[in-house]
Amino acid sequence: MSKRPAVLLTLLEENPALASTLGEELSRLGADCRAHFWTHGQDVQALAPLLAEVCQPDHGAWLIAGEARTFARPDMLRGLALAALAARATRQQTGGTALPILLAPSGGDLPPLPTPLQDADIVVRGIGAKTIARLFTPGTVGTPPYRLALHARPGLGLWLECGPTDDPWEGVLLGASGCAPDAHGVGPAGVIPQRCTLHHSLRGVRLTAGGREFTAWGTGNHLSPAESYFVRLDGLPDALVFGPLPGEDAAELFVLSLHPQQEA
């Protein structure tokens, strides 16, 4: 007997009735539903369980349900965006299919979405049927010219890992808006280094990109596709900027928004 595909259902409010209704509908349509309530928060302690859930390889789709006003909270958008980044990185590393993300808001419209959620499907009617449709048409994970992974470990903080997917980088820079780096290192991809040698280390670089101010760290180390730059942040970021260290020839830096900027 073949295993039924699984849908991860994340509820943004404690709503047992909604969890039961959606779970029964998805089950009737041929999928298992794994529902949980995510307690949002401002630190890695609250983020780590969500990242662990969405990075499970047997989830075929991620359905997020809640009130529009809850979706609009900056801390909620930030956490969901970071989780979407983590899921994408996991699928990219394993060469698997993409994880379809569906947002099911109630009581209003969604705010502008951060970069990692901009490809999500927004559903307000026929939630179960549309989730099943995406479950069986997941698409493939694209291959950007960079790798970006997250390591959220209570007690160790939030570490970001970046590096090239193809052509090596001669030096690397990573910055955050809303928080700042406080440790960094270089080593084999996938493993936070305990010790390393950094060449021409940079700290506290201030730059502007995409209308935001960033604090960045960097190093002149050569990075092959098998090597990564690891940076620990002292909080959860509003946006990220990273890429090859700019030199005489201007290098392309990648910018990811994790929640929309507030109006002045």
Side-chain angles (χ1 to χ4, degrees):
M1 182 177 178
S2 61
K3 187 177 180 181
R4 285 165 40 120
V7 174
L8 174 65
L9 170 60
T10 297
L11 298 167
L12 304 186
E13 300 91 19
E14 293 190 63
N15 192 334
L18 179 61
S20 178
T21 298
L22 289 175
E24 291 175 2
E25 184 177 3
L26 291 169
S27 180
R28 178 174 54 81
L29 293 172
D32 286 334
C33 179
R34 301 171 183 174
H36 73 123
F37 165 63
W38 179 49
T39 304
H40 59 84
Q42 305 283 351
D43 56 21
V44 175
Q45 188 76 30
L47 180 65
L50 179 63
L51 267 60
E53 286 284 356
V54 301
C55 289
Q56 293 295 324
D58 57 343
H59 289 146
W62 183 22
L63 173 61
I64 308 167
E67 296 182 8
R69 62 182 180 180
T70 307
F71 272 104
R73 294 178 59 128
D75 58 339
M76 185 66 74
L77 283 176
R78 183 189 301 111
L80 295 175
L82 287 168
L85 274 182
R88 181 181 181 86
T90 300
R91 301 291 173 114
Q92 185 178 352
Q93 291 167 3
T94 60
T97 58
L99 178 68
I101 300 175
L102 300 98
L103 310 180
S106 59
D109 296 328
L110 288 177
L113 296 173
T115 308
L117 295 176
Q118 286 177 355
D119 291 335
D121 295 321
I122 301 173
V123 294
V124 293
R125 296 182 180 84
I127 296 173
K130 290 178 180 177
T131 301
I132 293 296
R134 293 294 287 118
L135 183 65
F136 289 104
T137 56
T140 58
V141 181
T143 306
Y146 62 81
R147 292 175 288 105
L148 180 67
L150 283 75
H151 305 274
R153 302 179 181 178
L156 295 179
L158 175 65
W159 285 83
L160 299 179
E161 173 188 354
C162 72
T165 56
D166 190 7
D167 296 329
W169 290 355
E170 298 301 333
V172 58
L173 189 78
L174 189 148
S177 177
C179 60
D182 64 6
H184 64 169
V186 170
V191 182
I192 300 172
Q194 294 185 352
R195 58 180 60 88
C196 64
T197 300
L198 298 175
H199 304 296
H200 307 294
S201 174
L202 300 171
R203 299 187 182 192
V205 177
R206 299 298 179 93
L207 56 95
T208 301
R212 296 182 190 260
E213 299 291 329
F214 293 85
T215 301
W217 284 22
T219 179
N221 293 57
H222 172 92
L223 287 188
S224 73
E227 298 167 303
S228 295
Y229 180 50
F230 297 84
V231 176
R232 188 178 67 188
L233 301 179
D234 63 7
L236 300 184
D238 296 333
L240 299 170
V241 60
F242 58 94
L245 188 66
E248 294 182 2
D249 297 327
E252 179 182 8
L253 291 176
F254 308 101
V255 180
L256 294 179
S257 168
L258 300 173
H259 78 69
Q261 298 188 71
Q262 301 298 312
E263 295 293 337

